[in-house]
Structure formats: structure tokens, C-alpha cells
Amino acid sequence: MSAQDQREHDRAGALAARFAEVFGHAPDGVWRAPGRVNLIGEHTDYNDGLVLPFAIDRSALVAVRLRRGGGPEGDVVDLASTWAPAEDELSRVRFRTGGLVPGAVPGWGAYPAGVVHVLAGPDGVEVPGFELLLDSTVPVGAGLSSSHAVEVATVVALDELLGLGLDRPAMARLTQRAENEFVGAPTGIMDQSASLLGRAGAALFLDCRDLAAESVPLPLAEQGLAVVVVDTKVAHSHADGGYAARRAACERGAAALGAGSLREVPDDADLGVLDLETARRVRHVRTENRRVLAAVARLRAGDVRSVGELLTASHASLRDDYEVSCPELDLAVDTALAAGALGARMTGGGFGGSAIALVPAERAGAVAAAVERAFAAAGLRRPAAFTVVPGDGAGRVR
């Protein structure tokens, strides 16, 4: 058993024990779903584009037990989470599986509730009540898909417990619907796919148009490299207006160019027919798809180091054409590059969240320290900097 597997096993054991304390009996099992880092391919997924994320070694764990025997409590879902204001408290949410509507369940509870809502929709499955205890090491609001990890862990658990037989692409689509229809966040399908399909030591090359997926080797340690994540501590939200406005601009641009999505726009299309802002949004998506293809080609050739320049070009495009960066993200990227990173960019939806830097492994600590000093000098809140490695996708913790 690897060190990472041992840590997950130990966390799962502790969570099962805590579940028994909270609910008075053992769970049916413990399931995990990792967060993700998107190496490159930002804001392309909802444009039927190309992405290259990888699952990370930080995850959401859920201990779950189905209610059995019916009765007045048979459709009650009782949720608890270690995400709470005080370390010794639990955050609690309770709802019934029937009649769920968007907005009915507050806070973090909306993520498991969204999964139930979609599963139990028209012609769906009968979802009984259940008890669930959540623990997550994926930073919240950092652009590492903490919410998707909760949804994926929930759907993987319910799929097994209810014997639904869903395949991984089906679960990705289902959790995307939970985000879009129940949570109200117009996200694409990348985050769920990375959490479900990730492989240790590899990135996931995903075509979001048809969900064709390929694991591409990402041998960081073997090439003396590391990926440093800088959580700026500027929380972002996919449910706010900025993300939705970018998506709407892409849809307008595709329609104006006579295409169903930006993926269908030919390379020689005249962007001059668009207003300047929409043209910039479209240009980012088209050039980002090309950068993903270039990154995949370099990884297939075993040249991880040269991917760094593509990351930096991606950030410039996200900053200038898509306008989803912020001063904290720009500072993290610029400082990492000055401290010896091979490339750096914001990752995730933007407007806050995290930046990533591809660095020689021996420079990881120096890059993290340089970023912390730069934030202190600018009078900003101290960021959290840490390394991540490509890990396996969601499943039951044995």
C-alpha cells in the first residue's frame, strides 16, 4: 500500500468511527473523490472543448448508511460535515428525498441534495433516506473543485449502495446536472470527469464534446518536477455573475459565427464580426484548445518541462482576453516565474482561487516562500502553498 493509500485508509477508519459516534451505528462504507488541478484548458469545457486536468491527492470522504425498513423517517437524509466553524463541531443538514427543488437545501448540503434530486428526477430511481458524514481535505473556494468532490463521492456511494450500475461518464453527466440544475452553477463537465477518471501519475486528456478520455503520462517526480498550488485565499464561486457572463458571451459568439459551440467554429472564421469583448472571449477559447493539444503532444513525447511555457501563455490569455484573473493570482504567477518556475498560471474558474506553478522539485520550497513574501509585502492575506501529485479517481476506500 502506498503512503497516500495508507493515509486515505487511516482517514476512512477515523471517519467511520466518528460516524458511529454521531449516528449510533456503523456506516455501510466510506467512499472518496479527489479534487482536481487543471493543468491546462480553462473555460473550454462548457464550449465543447479540450481540457487536461488531473486528480490530486486531496479528497472528500463520505461515510454513508442507507435507511432501511421504511417508516416515517424512511426518506430522510441526515447529513453531517466536519466543515464547521469550530473544530469540535459538526455542520448538520436534514431534508427529505421527495420533492426537492433548487434552493431548498442550504450551504454545502446542496451538493449531496443535488445528486439526490437528479437521481430521483422524472423516470429516475427511488432514493431512500440515508445518513452521511463528510470530511474533506480539498480547500474550499480555492478552485480545486471541492464541491464537485462532494458530489462525486456521494454519487459513487449511492451508485454502489443502490446497485445502479452507472458508468463513469454517466456519473459525470449526472453530477454536472446537479451543479447546473440544483446548485445553480453553470459549470462544464471537466471537474467531475477528472475526479471520476483520474489515474495516478497521469493527466486526463478529455474531449468535452463527446467525453472521449485518455490518460496521458505526467511523470513529475521521475523528471525532477513538482506542481505547486498557491491558494490565494480569495474565495471564488461558480454561481456568481462573472462565470455565467463568460459562458453567455461564448454562446453569443458561437451563434454569431453560425456554430452550435465554439468548438465548431473553423480556424479561419472572421472574428471581426463580433464586438471586441466577445471576440476576446472567443479568441481565448480557441487558442486555449490549441495549447491543450500542444501540451498533450509534449507529454506524450515525455517532455514535461516544456509544458511550462504553455501554462504561462494560458495565464496571459485568461488575464487579458478572458479577464478572469485578479491581482492576487497575477502576483502569485509573476512571483513564481521570477523565483524559477518553468511556467505558471491561474487554475479553475478564476476571480480568485488558486494558481499553479510547474517547478523543478528542488525549487518548490523556494517558490512557495517567495510567493508568501510577495503577498506579505503587498499587505495581502497569507496564501497557502503546497505541492500536489496526480492521484487515482473516485471509489470506495477499502
Side-chain angles (χ1 to χ4, degrees):
M1 182 180 291
S2 70
Q4 172 60 23
D5 288 342
Q6 185 63 55
R7 286 192 295 270
E8 295 269 285
H9 180 80
D10 293 344
R11 279 182 63 209
L15 190 65
R18 186 75 184 276
F19 183 99
E21 293 175 3
V22 172
F23 295 111
H25 40 242
D28 293 327
V30 178
W31 290 262
R32 64 176 292 279
R36 67 97 186 93
V37 157
N38 190 20
L39 189 63
I40 196 165
E42 214 66 76
H43 288 278
T44 53
D45 59 340
Y46 54 80
N47 289 294
D48 286 346
L50 307 171
V51 294
L52 190 64
F54 61 89
I56 62 174
D57 51 339
R58 294 188 175 221
S59 63
L61 296 185
V62 294
V64 181
R65 184 179 187 273
L66 293 183
R67 294 188 185 276
R68 296 173 174 86
E73 297 283 289
D75 66 344
V76 171
V77 175
D78 197 354
L79 307 177
S81 172
T82 59
W83 289 349
E87 188 173 328
D88 59 345
E89 295 179 357
L90 291 175
S91 174
R92 303 295 293 263
V93 178
R94 189 175 171 91
F95 61 88
R96 292 184 181 273
T97 59
L100 280 173
V101 294
V105 181
W108 70 270
Y111 303 122
V115 172
V116 173
H117 171 73
V118 175
L119 280 174
D123 303 318
V125 300
E126 183 176 346
V127 182
F130 57 90
E131 297 158 328
L132 179 151
L133 178 60
L134 165 70
D135 178 73
S136 181
T137 57
V138 185
V140 178
L144 302 181
S145 296
S146 59
S147 63
H148 295 92
V150 175
E151 291 162 346
V152 169
T154 302
V155 77
V156 169
L158 292 178
D159 174 67
E160 181 175 335
L161 290 173
L162 299 176
L164 302 180
L166 298 171
D167 62 22
R168 295 297 166 116
M171 284 190 270
R173 292 189 183 95
L174 190 150
T175 50
Q176 182 192 18
R177 286 183 54 207
E179 278 280 316
N180 295 171
E181 300 172 14
F182 193 85
V183 178
T187 59
I189 203 165
M190 172 184 66
D191 298 343
Q192 302 93 332
S193 297
S195 187
L196 285 158
L197 299 170
R199 294 288 182 272
L204 179 72
F205 177 34
L206 179 69
D207 186 330
C208 296
R209 180 164 56 187
D210 59 10
L211 294 192
E214 174 192 349
S215 290
V216 181
L218 185 59
L220 295 172
E222 294 86 341
Q223 296 202 14
L225 301 173
V227 170
V228 175
V229 175
V230 178
D231 178 1
T232 66
K233 299 298 183 178
V234 179
H236 79 147
S237 171
H238 280 165
D240 67 15
Y243 187 97
R246 298 310 185 279
R247 182 163 186 163
C250 292
E251 291 169 354
R252 288 196 306 273
L257 294 167
S261 72
L262 293 185
R263 180 70 177 281
E264 299 171 11
V265 174
D267 290 339
D268 60 355
D270 179 14
L271 302 189
V273 302
L274 306 174
D275 65 85
L276 292 179
E277 180 180 284
T278 302
R280 290 199 303 272
R281 307 296 189 246
V282 172
R283 182 170 60 199
H284 163 72
V285 173
R286 297 172 75 201
T287 57
E288 188 78 344
N289 279 327
R290 290 198 287 270
R291 283 186 286 270
V292 172
L293 289 172
V296 169
R298 295 180 189 193
L299 291 181
R300 285 172 176 160
D303 185 7
V304 182
R305 296 178 70 89
S306 71
V307 172
E309 63 184 12
L310 298 172
L311 305 187
T312 306
S314 173
H315 184 77
S317 182
L318 288 159
R319 180 192 63 211
D320 301 335
D321 279 348
Y322 221 64
E323 297 181 285
V324 291
S325 190
C326 65
E328 293 85 354
L329 287 169
D330 293 341
L331 180 60
V333 167
D334 293 343
T335 304
L337 292 171
L342 302 172
R345 74 176 193 91
M346 57 153 281
T347 189
F351 309 106
S354 296
I356 59 170
L358 180 65
V359 303
E362 70 273 10
R363 295 291 301 164
V367 167
V371 173
E372 289 185 2
R373 289 195 299 271
F375 272 55
L380 298 172
R381 184 180 178 185
R382 183 178 181 180
F386 50 89
T387 60
V388 292
V389 297
D392 286 322
R396 185 168 185 154
V397 183
R398 303 294 179 181

